[in-house]
């Protein structure tokens, strides 16, 4: 009791400090999470408490030096509060792209973001800082011999222990995601690319390739591949879709699957040697390269976007972790504007696809299968709800691809369309969900090919070969080699044994 009485003011101060920090900053990462049951609230509240407990450790040691605390804490608190405002009110997820935008946006654009609600929020944060500093000056004992010191050490240790067990548990939420994203922004990309020193050229004329890059779509949930549900009501009515049900990749998340797809790397490559960029090769061959994306670029593949002749990322401030992400259909008008069917062109359309949380990946009219998920806490959803929501994203994809094909059909063009998901998705097998983990479902992505009538007439052998090989195991390192073959690229080596055409 004497110890509690002696350090009573310190206990109260840290309760005030962490309550204020949690309200203004930390809780912003939880505000938009959809929950359906009381147990869900309990789960995320416990997560929030654990996260704030780890932050307490750092705040505690910051507070031990009065001069340092009075200078550093107000700056840190106000900067983080300003960031949290956008997380609260716009559901923006902090990523290295957000950090880049923050550093590189012009001042006049930044000034447009200063609105009355933002000013009010900052004024409340300033008032809170003043109150905290006044209370801080009244602390009688704030020394290392306090019983809170051991608790603070445990709090800091909990951060490293949790992140070591599962990366992103804390690092994807405020305030840690700002530090992690800033570090990613400053880091060099580890992928080394070879310069294209060859006199690369193409012997193709007016060939257009449309590459729809999907996300988290597994092959066995396509009606085209024998799935009993009508997940492809539009594409299944066409007789010109070639589906490859046995596509394979062991690379089960986007950050590692895309560098492999877009270079000459193999599926088991250690990347110790520089790789050849597909986009760079096509550029050197005077083939127009376009990248239209709805995913916030990750460090591992953003160089391919930068290399593209034309690039546009939609809704760049909302990543896959946001619950206000734009639907993929907004990619279609941009594609229509930049599709040039009578020149050599390589178009990438990068979708959000079937990335979790499924209910933000399709609009209401595609809610074909019901009931659907209501909570981001997976155990609170039934197996049926999870499958229904996921299958609805496939119905939405079916419509998306069909619209793109119809747009191409309006032109009398020589066009080949490839739809390929970067990886699959685990849906309850062995009580596992989502991806970024080993499993047959996550390693078996959906793959479709469609060709225009003009392409069919000019390349009948390619069509017959595709149909003949469609049921074979298709490793995804086919892509780089097959595209170079398709464009008849000369003066650069590639593996013709991996060409599917």
């Amino acid at each position: 009791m004497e110890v509690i009485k002696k350090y009573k003011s310190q206990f109260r101060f840290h309760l005030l400090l962490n309550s204020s920090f949690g309200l203004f900053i930390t809780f912003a990462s939880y505000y938009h999470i959809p929950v359906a049951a009381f147990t869900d609230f309990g789960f995320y509240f416990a997560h929030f408490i654990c996260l704030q407990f780890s932050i307490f450790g750092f705040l505690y040691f910051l507070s031990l030096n009065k001069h340092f605390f009075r200078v550093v804490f107000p700056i840190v608190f106000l900067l983080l509060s300003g960031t949290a405002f956008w997380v609260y009110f716009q559901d923006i997820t902090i990523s290295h792209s957000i950090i880049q935008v923050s550093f590189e946006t012009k001042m006049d654009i930044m000034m447009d973001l200063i609105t009355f609600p933002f000013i009010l929020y900052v004024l409340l944060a300033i008032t809170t800082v003043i109150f905290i500093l006044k209370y801080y000056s009244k602390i009688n004992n704030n020394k290392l011999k306090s019983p809170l010191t051991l608790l603070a050490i445990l709090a800091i240790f909990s951060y490293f222990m949790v992140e070591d067990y599962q990366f992103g548990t804390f690092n994807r939420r405020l305030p840690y995601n700002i530090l992690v994203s800033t570090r990613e922004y400053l880091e060099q990309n580890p992928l080394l690319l070879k310069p294209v020193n060859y006199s690369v050229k193409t012997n193709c004329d007016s060939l257009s390739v449309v590459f729809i890059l999907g996300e988290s779509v597994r092959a066995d949930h396509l009606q085209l591949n024998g799935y009993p549900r009508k997940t492809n009501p539009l594409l299944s009515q066409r007789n010109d879709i070639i589906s490859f049900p046995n596509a394979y990749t062991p690379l089960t998340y986007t950050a590692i699957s895309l560098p492999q797809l877009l270079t000459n790397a193999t599926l088991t490559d250690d990347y110790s040697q520089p790789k050849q960029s597909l986009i760079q090769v096509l550029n050197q061959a005077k083939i127009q390269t376009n990248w239209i994306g709805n995913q916030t670029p990750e460090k591992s593949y953003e160089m391919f976007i930068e290399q593209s002749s034309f690039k546009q990322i939609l809704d760049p401030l909302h990543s896959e972790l946001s619950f206000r992400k734009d639907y993929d259909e907004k990619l279609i008008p941009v594609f229509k504007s930049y599709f040039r069917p009578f020149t050599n062109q390589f178009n990438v359309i990068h979708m959000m696809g079937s990335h979790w949380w499924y209910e933000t990946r399709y609009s209401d009219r595609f809610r074909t299968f019901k009931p659907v998920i209501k909570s981001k806490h997976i155990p609170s959803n039934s197996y049926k709800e999870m499958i229904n929501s996921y299958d609805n994203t496939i119905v939405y994809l079916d419509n998306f691809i069909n619209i793109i094909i119809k747009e191409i059909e309006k032109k009398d063009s020589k066009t080949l369309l490839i739809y390929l998901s970067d990886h699959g998705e685990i849906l309850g097998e062995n009580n596992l969900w989502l991806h970024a983990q080993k499993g047959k479902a996550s390693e078996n992505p959906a793959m479709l090919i469609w060709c225009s009538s003009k392409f069919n007439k000019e390349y009948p052998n390619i069509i017959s070969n595709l149909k003949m090989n469609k049921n074979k195991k298709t490793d995804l390192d086919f892509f780089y080699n097959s595209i170079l073959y398709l464009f008849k690229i000369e003066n650069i080596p590639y593996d013709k044994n991996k060409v599917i055409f």
Side-chain angles (χ1 to χ4, degrees), residues 12 32 75-76 114 117 127 146 202 206 215 219 223 232 248 325 328 337 352 354 385 406 408 411 437 441:
R12 285 180 173 175
H32 293 279
I75 297 172
V76 171
I114 300 177
T127 304
S146 166
T202 175
S206 302
E215 170 69 52
Q223 181 184 351
N232 301 124
Y248 168 76
K325 184 68 181 170
D328 283 328
S337 299
M352 277 304 305
S354 299
E385 289 170 338
K406 284 187 172 182
I408 298 171
K411 320 285 186 181
Q437 51 193 327

PDB file of all heavy atoms in Angstrom, residues 12 32 75-76 114 117 127 146 202 206 215 219 223 232 248 325 328 337 352 354 385 406 408 411 437 441:
ATOM      1  N   ARG A  12      -1.398   7.560 -12.039  1.00  0.00           N
ATOM      2  CA  ARG A  12      -2.491   8.334 -12.631  1.00  0.00           C
ATOM      3  C   ARG A  12      -2.040   9.022 -13.921  1.00  0.00           C
ATOM      4  O   ARG A  12      -2.794   9.085 -14.906  1.00  0.00           O
ATOM      5  CB  ARG A  12      -2.992   9.372 -11.632  1.00  0.00           C
ATOM      6  CG  ARG A  12      -3.840   8.793 -10.510  1.00  0.00           C
ATOM      7  CD  ARG A  12      -4.298   9.884  -9.576  1.00  0.00           C
ATOM      8  NE  ARG A  12      -5.240   9.382  -8.582  1.00  0.00           N
ATOM      9  CZ  ARG A  12      -5.720  10.113  -7.578  1.00  0.00           C
ATOM     10  NH1 ARG A  12      -5.339  11.389  -7.439  1.00  0.00           N
ATOM     11  NH2 ARG A  12      -6.576   9.584  -6.716  1.00  0.00           N
ATOM     12  N   HIS A  32     -12.945   1.342 -37.990  1.00  0.00           N
ATOM     13  CA  HIS A  32     -13.723   0.917 -39.161  1.00  0.00           C
ATOM     14  C   HIS A  32     -13.900  -0.591 -39.262  1.00  0.00           C
ATOM     15  O   HIS A  32     -14.542  -1.063 -40.208  1.00  0.00           O
ATOM     16  CB  HIS A  32     -13.052   1.435 -40.444  1.00  0.00           C
ATOM     17  CG  HIS A  32     -13.089   2.919 -40.582  1.00  0.00           C
ATOM     18  ND1 HIS A  32     -14.183   3.601 -41.048  1.00  0.00           N
ATOM     19  CD2 HIS A  32     -12.158   3.860 -40.285  1.00  0.00           C
ATOM     20  CE1 HIS A  32     -13.933   4.898 -41.056  1.00  0.00           C
ATOM     21  NE2 HIS A  32     -12.716   5.079 -40.596  1.00  0.00           N
ATOM     22  N   ILE A  75       5.452  16.992 -30.025  1.00  0.00           N
ATOM     23  CA  ILE A  75       5.664  16.855 -31.473  1.00  0.00           C
ATOM     24  C   ILE A  75       5.139  15.504 -31.959  1.00  0.00           C
ATOM     25  O   ILE A  75       4.393  15.426 -32.944  1.00  0.00           O
ATOM     26  CB  ILE A  75       7.165  16.999 -31.810  1.00  0.00           C
ATOM     27  CG1 ILE A  75       7.651  18.404 -31.439  1.00  0.00           C
ATOM     28  CG2 ILE A  75       7.412  16.717 -33.295  1.00  0.00           C
ATOM     29  CD1 ILE A  75       9.159  18.573 -31.552  1.00  0.00           C
ATOM     30  N   VAL A  76       5.516  14.444 -31.254  1.00  0.00           N
ATOM     31  CA  VAL A  76       5.099  13.097 -31.643  1.00  0.00           C
ATOM     32  C   VAL A  76       3.580  12.958 -31.561  1.00  0.00           C
ATOM     33  O   VAL A  76       2.934  12.450 -32.494  1.00  0.00           O
ATOM     34  CB  VAL A  76       5.782  12.041 -30.747  1.00  0.00           C
ATOM     35  CG1 VAL A  76       5.183  10.654 -30.988  1.00  0.00           C
ATOM     36  CG2 VAL A  76       7.282  12.019 -30.996  1.00  0.00           C
ATOM     37  N   ILE A 114      -6.414  20.811 -45.390  1.00  0.00           N
ATOM     38  CA  ILE A 114      -6.646  21.408 -44.065  1.00  0.00           C
ATOM     39  C   ILE A 114      -8.079  21.946 -44.025  1.00  0.00           C
ATOM     40  O   ILE A 114      -8.373  23.040 -44.498  1.00  0.00           O
ATOM     41  CB  ILE A 114      -5.618  22.520 -43.775  1.00  0.00           C
ATOM     42  CG1 ILE A 114      -4.207  21.934 -43.812  1.00  0.00           C
ATOM     43  CG2 ILE A 114      -5.890  23.156 -42.407  1.00  0.00           C
ATOM     44  CD1 ILE A 114      -3.109  22.953 -43.610  1.00  0.00           C
ATOM     45  N   PRO A 117     -12.922  20.325 -39.833  1.00  0.00           N
ATOM     46  CA  PRO A 117     -12.850  19.175 -38.917  1.00  0.00           C
ATOM     47  C   PRO A 117     -11.416  18.815 -38.541  1.00  0.00           C
ATOM     48  O   PRO A 117     -11.144  18.442 -37.398  1.00  0.00           O
ATOM     49  CB  PRO A 117     -13.517  18.043 -39.712  1.00  0.00           C
ATOM     50  CG  PRO A 117     -14.407  18.730 -40.669  1.00  0.00           C
ATOM     51  CD  PRO A 117     -13.693  19.991 -41.048  1.00  0.00           C
ATOM     52  N   THR A 127      -4.980  20.848 -26.976  1.00  0.00           N
ATOM     53  CA  THR A 127      -5.536  21.032 -25.629  1.00  0.00           C
ATOM     54  C   THR A 127      -5.172  19.848 -24.731  1.00  0.00           C
ATOM     55  O   THR A 127      -4.808  20.020 -23.565  1.00  0.00           O
ATOM     56  CB  THR A 127      -7.065  21.184 -25.705  1.00  0.00           C
ATOM     57  OG1 THR A 127      -7.394  22.270 -26.573  1.00  0.00           O
ATOM     58  CG2 THR A 127      -7.656  21.442 -24.320  1.00  0.00           C
ATOM     59  N   SER A 146      10.685   2.951  -9.858  1.00  0.00           N
ATOM     60  CA  SER A 146       9.234   2.773  -9.796  1.00  0.00           C
ATOM     61  C   SER A 146       8.851   1.346 -10.180  1.00  0.00           C
ATOM     62  O   SER A 146       9.483   0.734 -11.054  1.00  0.00           O
ATOM     63  CB  SER A 146       8.551   3.760 -10.736  1.00  0.00           C
ATOM     64  OG  SER A 146       7.202   3.405 -10.943  1.00  0.00           O
ATOM     65  N   THR A 202      10.910  -6.556 -82.038  1.00  0.00           N
ATOM     66  CA  THR A 202       9.782  -7.463 -82.219  1.00  0.00           C
ATOM     67  C   THR A 202       9.471  -7.619 -83.696  1.00  0.00           C
ATOM     68  O   THR A 202       9.633  -6.677 -84.476  1.00  0.00           O
ATOM     69  CB  THR A 202       8.526  -6.948 -81.492  1.00  0.00           C
ATOM     70  OG1 THR A 202       7.426  -7.799 -81.786  1.00  0.00           O
ATOM     71  CG2 THR A 202       8.168  -5.534 -81.912  1.00  0.00           C
ATOM     72  N   SER A 206       0.907  -4.880 -84.698  1.00  0.00           N
ATOM     73  CA  SER A 206      -0.453  -4.593 -84.216  1.00  0.00           C
ATOM     74  C   SER A 206      -1.014  -5.706 -83.338  1.00  0.00           C
ATOM     75  O   SER A 206      -2.183  -6.089 -83.464  1.00  0.00           O
ATOM     76  CB  SER A 206      -1.411  -4.340 -85.395  1.00  0.00           C
ATOM     77  OG  SER A 206      -0.939  -3.276 -86.169  1.00  0.00           O
ATOM     78  N   GLU A 215      -6.396 -11.340 -58.065  1.00  0.00           N
ATOM     79  CA  GLU A 215      -5.952 -11.399 -56.675  1.00  0.00           C
ATOM     80  C   GLU A 215      -6.766 -12.420 -55.899  1.00  0.00           C
ATOM     81  O   GLU A 215      -7.997 -12.339 -55.844  1.00  0.00           O
ATOM     82  CB  GLU A 215      -6.100 -10.020 -56.027  1.00  0.00           C
ATOM     83  CG  GLU A 215      -5.908  -9.960 -54.525  1.00  0.00           C
ATOM     84  CD  GLU A 215      -4.473 -10.217 -54.105  1.00  0.00           C
ATOM     85  OE1 GLU A 215      -3.567  -9.552 -54.635  1.00  0.00           O
ATOM     86  OE2 GLU A 215      -4.269 -11.102 -53.243  1.00  0.00           O
ATOM     87  N   ALA A 219      -8.620 -21.626 -58.482  1.00  0.00           N
ATOM     88  CA  ALA A 219      -9.153 -22.199 -59.717  1.00  0.00           C
ATOM     89  C   ALA A 219     -10.415 -23.014 -59.504  1.00  0.00           C
ATOM     90  O   ALA A 219     -11.325 -23.002 -60.344  1.00  0.00           O
ATOM     91  CB  ALA A 219      -8.084 -23.060 -60.386  1.00  0.00           C
ATOM     92  N   GLN A 223     -16.873 -21.749 -62.039  1.00  0.00           N
ATOM     93  CA  GLN A 223     -17.858 -22.608 -62.695  1.00  0.00           C
ATOM     94  C   GLN A 223     -17.266 -23.217 -63.963  1.00  0.00           C
ATOM     95  O   GLN A 223     -17.573 -24.367 -64.315  1.00  0.00           O
ATOM     96  CB  GLN A 223     -19.097 -21.767 -63.029  1.00  0.00           C
ATOM     97  CG  GLN A 223     -20.224 -22.524 -63.702  1.00  0.00           C
ATOM     98  CD  GLN A 223     -21.372 -21.589 -64.077  1.00  0.00           C
ATOM     99  OE1 GLN A 223     -21.392 -20.417 -63.688  1.00  0.00           O
ATOM    100  NE2 GLN A 223     -22.316 -22.089 -64.847  1.00  0.00           N
ATOM    101  N   ASN A 232     -19.659 -18.196 -62.718  1.00  0.00           N
ATOM    102  CA  ASN A 232     -19.316 -17.597 -64.020  1.00  0.00           C
ATOM    103  C   ASN A 232     -20.530 -17.600 -64.934  1.00  0.00           C
ATOM    104  O   ASN A 232     -20.505 -18.199 -66.024  1.00  0.00           O
ATOM    105  CB  ASN A 232     -18.164 -18.374 -64.687  1.00  0.00           C
ATOM    106  CG  ASN A 232     -16.917 -18.418 -63.855  1.00  0.00           C
ATOM    107  OD1 ASN A 232     -16.403 -19.485 -63.557  1.00  0.00           O
ATOM    108  ND2 ASN A 232     -16.410 -17.257 -63.455  1.00  0.00           N
ATOM    109  N   TYR A 248      -0.140 -23.417 -61.304  1.00  0.00           N
ATOM    110  CA  TYR A 248       0.542 -23.680 -60.027  1.00  0.00           C
ATOM    111  C   TYR A 248       1.592 -22.621 -59.711  1.00  0.00           C
ATOM    112  O   TYR A 248       2.357 -22.190 -60.586  1.00  0.00           O
ATOM    113  CB  TYR A 248       1.233 -25.050 -60.066  1.00  0.00           C
ATOM    114  CG  TYR A 248       2.181 -25.264 -58.906  1.00  0.00           C
ATOM    115  CD1 TYR A 248       1.696 -25.565 -57.627  1.00  0.00           C
ATOM    116  CD2 TYR A 248       3.563 -25.129 -59.070  1.00  0.00           C
ATOM    117  CE1 TYR A 248       2.564 -25.734 -56.555  1.00  0.00           C
ATOM    118  CE2 TYR A 248       4.436 -25.305 -58.005  1.00  0.00           C
ATOM    119  CZ  TYR A 248       3.931 -25.604 -56.745  1.00  0.00           C
ATOM    120  OH  TYR A 248       4.792 -25.764 -55.686  1.00  0.00           O
ATOM    121  N   LYS A 325     -12.324   0.869 -49.939  1.00  0.00           N
ATOM    122  CA  LYS A 325     -11.596   0.737 -51.193  1.00  0.00           C
ATOM    123  C   LYS A 325     -12.543   0.766 -52.384  1.00  0.00           C
ATOM    124  O   LYS A 325     -13.620   0.166 -52.356  1.00  0.00           O
ATOM    125  CB  LYS A 325     -10.815  -0.578 -51.186  1.00  0.00           C
ATOM    126  CG  LYS A 325      -9.927  -0.796 -52.406  1.00  0.00           C
ATOM    127  CD  LYS A 325      -8.780   0.174 -52.420  1.00  0.00           C
ATOM    128  CE  LYS A 325      -7.896  -0.012 -53.642  1.00  0.00           C
ATOM    129  NZ  LYS A 325      -6.923   1.074 -53.785  1.00  0.00           N
ATOM    130  N   ASP A 328     -13.278  -2.576 -58.384  1.00  0.00           N
ATOM    131  CA  ASP A 328     -12.426  -2.746 -59.562  1.00  0.00           C
ATOM    132  C   ASP A 328     -13.054  -2.206 -60.842  1.00  0.00           C
ATOM    133  O   ASP A 328     -12.334  -1.906 -61.799  1.00  0.00           O
ATOM    134  CB  ASP A 328     -12.093  -4.231 -59.748  1.00  0.00           C
ATOM    135  CG  ASP A 328     -11.032  -4.715 -58.777  1.00  0.00           C
ATOM    136  OD1 ASP A 328     -10.148  -3.917 -58.412  1.00  0.00           O
ATOM    137  OD2 ASP A 328     -11.090  -5.895 -58.367  1.00  0.00           O
ATOM    138  N   SER A 337      -9.927   4.129 -72.309  1.00  0.00           N
ATOM    139  CA  SER A 337      -9.269   5.344 -72.792  1.00  0.00           C
ATOM    140  C   SER A 337      -7.893   5.076 -73.377  1.00  0.00           C
ATOM    141  O   SER A 337      -7.458   5.780 -74.301  1.00  0.00           O
ATOM    142  CB  SER A 337      -9.129   6.360 -71.648  1.00  0.00           C
ATOM    143  OG  SER A 337     -10.390   6.718 -71.149  1.00  0.00           O
ATOM    144  N   MET A 352      -8.111  -5.550 -57.369  1.00  0.00           N
ATOM    145  CA  MET A 352      -8.182  -5.930 -55.957  1.00  0.00           C
ATOM    146  C   MET A 352      -8.726  -7.343 -55.839  1.00  0.00           C
ATOM    147  O   MET A 352      -8.414  -8.070 -54.915  1.00  0.00           O
ATOM    148  CB  MET A 352      -9.085  -4.973 -55.175  1.00  0.00           C
ATOM    149  CG  MET A 352      -8.402  -3.694 -54.711  1.00  0.00           C
ATOM    150  SD  MET A 352      -6.936  -3.966 -53.701  1.00  0.00           S
ATOM    151  CE  MET A 352      -7.572  -4.996 -52.407  1.00  0.00           C
ATOM    152  N   SER A 354     -10.300 -10.747 -55.175  1.00  0.00           N
ATOM    153  CA  SER A 354     -10.977 -11.441 -54.069  1.00  0.00           C
ATOM    154  C   SER A 354     -10.179 -11.347 -52.774  1.00  0.00           C
ATOM    155  O   SER A 354     -10.195 -12.253 -51.943  1.00  0.00           O
ATOM    156  CB  SER A 354     -11.208 -12.910 -54.434  1.00  0.00           C
ATOM    157  OG  SER A 354     -12.017 -13.018 -55.572  1.00  0.00           O
ATOM    158  N   GLU A 385     -21.192 -18.617 -44.716  1.00  0.00           N
ATOM    159  CA  GLU A 385     -21.090 -17.173 -44.960  1.00  0.00           C
ATOM    160  C   GLU A 385     -19.763 -16.818 -45.623  1.00  0.00           C
ATOM    161  O   GLU A 385     -19.715 -15.987 -46.540  1.00  0.00           O
ATOM    162  CB  GLU A 385     -21.249 -16.418 -43.645  1.00  0.00           C
ATOM    163  CG  GLU A 385     -22.663 -16.442 -43.088  1.00  0.00           C
ATOM    164  CD  GLU A 385     -22.746 -15.905 -41.667  1.00  0.00           C
ATOM    165  OE1 GLU A 385     -21.701 -15.900 -40.969  1.00  0.00           O
ATOM    166  OE2 GLU A 385     -23.851 -15.514 -41.254  1.00  0.00           O
ATOM    167  N   LYS A 406     -15.957  -7.556 -74.047  1.00  0.00           N
ATOM    168  CA  LYS A 406     -16.904  -6.858 -74.925  1.00  0.00           C
ATOM    169  C   LYS A 406     -16.311  -5.560 -75.474  1.00  0.00           C
ATOM    170  O   LYS A 406     -16.565  -5.186 -76.624  1.00  0.00           O
ATOM    171  CB  LYS A 406     -18.200  -6.575 -74.176  1.00  0.00           C
ATOM    172  CG  LYS A 406     -19.095  -7.800 -74.019  1.00  0.00           C
ATOM    173  CD  LYS A 406     -20.442  -7.415 -73.420  1.00  0.00           C
ATOM    174  CE  LYS A 406     -21.398  -8.593 -73.432  1.00  0.00           C
ATOM    175  NZ  LYS A 406     -22.735  -8.236 -72.890  1.00  0.00           N
ATOM    176  N   ILE A 408     -13.144  -5.048 -76.034  1.00  0.00           N
ATOM    177  CA  ILE A 408     -12.157  -5.437 -77.052  1.00  0.00           C
ATOM    178  C   ILE A 408     -12.861  -5.864 -78.333  1.00  0.00           C
ATOM    179  O   ILE A 408     -12.406  -5.558 -79.453  1.00  0.00           O
ATOM    180  CB  ILE A 408     -11.264  -6.573 -76.523  1.00  0.00           C
ATOM    181  CG1 ILE A 408     -10.474  -6.107 -75.292  1.00  0.00           C
ATOM    182  CG2 ILE A 408     -10.308  -7.061 -77.609  1.00  0.00           C
ATOM    183  CD1 ILE A 408      -9.735  -7.219 -74.574  1.00  0.00           C
ATOM    184  N   LYS A 411     -13.646  -3.560 -81.262  1.00  0.00           N
ATOM    185  CA  LYS A 411     -12.583  -3.228 -82.208  1.00  0.00           C
ATOM    186  C   LYS A 411     -12.262  -4.477 -83.026  1.00  0.00           C
ATOM    187  O   LYS A 411     -12.259  -5.592 -82.513  1.00  0.00           O
ATOM    188  CB  LYS A 411     -11.308  -2.783 -81.479  1.00  0.00           C
ATOM    189  CG  LYS A 411     -11.538  -1.892 -80.276  1.00  0.00           C
ATOM    190  CD  LYS A 411     -11.910  -0.489 -80.677  1.00  0.00           C
ATOM    191  CE  LYS A 411     -11.994   0.412 -79.436  1.00  0.00           C
ATOM    192  NZ  LYS A 411     -12.375   1.787 -79.809  1.00  0.00           N
ATOM    193  N   GLN A 437       0.263 -18.637 -47.121  1.00  0.00           N
ATOM    194  CA  GLN A 437       0.577 -19.873 -46.409  1.00  0.00           C
ATOM    195  C   GLN A 437       0.447 -21.031 -47.393  1.00  0.00           C
ATOM    196  O   GLN A 437      -0.265 -20.938 -48.397  1.00  0.00           O
ATOM    197  CB  GLN A 437      -0.355 -20.068 -45.210  1.00  0.00           C
ATOM    198  CG  GLN A 437      -1.833 -19.932 -45.534  1.00  0.00           C
ATOM    199  CD  GLN A 437      -2.696 -19.828 -44.304  1.00  0.00           C
ATOM    200  OE1 GLN A 437      -2.412 -20.407 -43.276  1.00  0.00           O
ATOM    201  NE2 GLN A 437      -3.788 -19.082 -44.400  1.00  0.00           N
ATOM    202  N   ALA A 441      -4.954 -25.085 -52.229  1.00  0.00           N
ATOM    203  CA  ALA A 441      -5.866 -24.046 -52.724  1.00  0.00           C
ATOM    204  C   ALA A 441      -5.158 -22.716 -52.946  1.00  0.00           C
ATOM    205  O   ALA A 441      -5.473 -21.980 -53.879  1.00  0.00           O
ATOM    206  CB  ALA A 441      -7.026 -23.867 -51.750  1.00  0.00           C
TER     207      ALA A 441
END
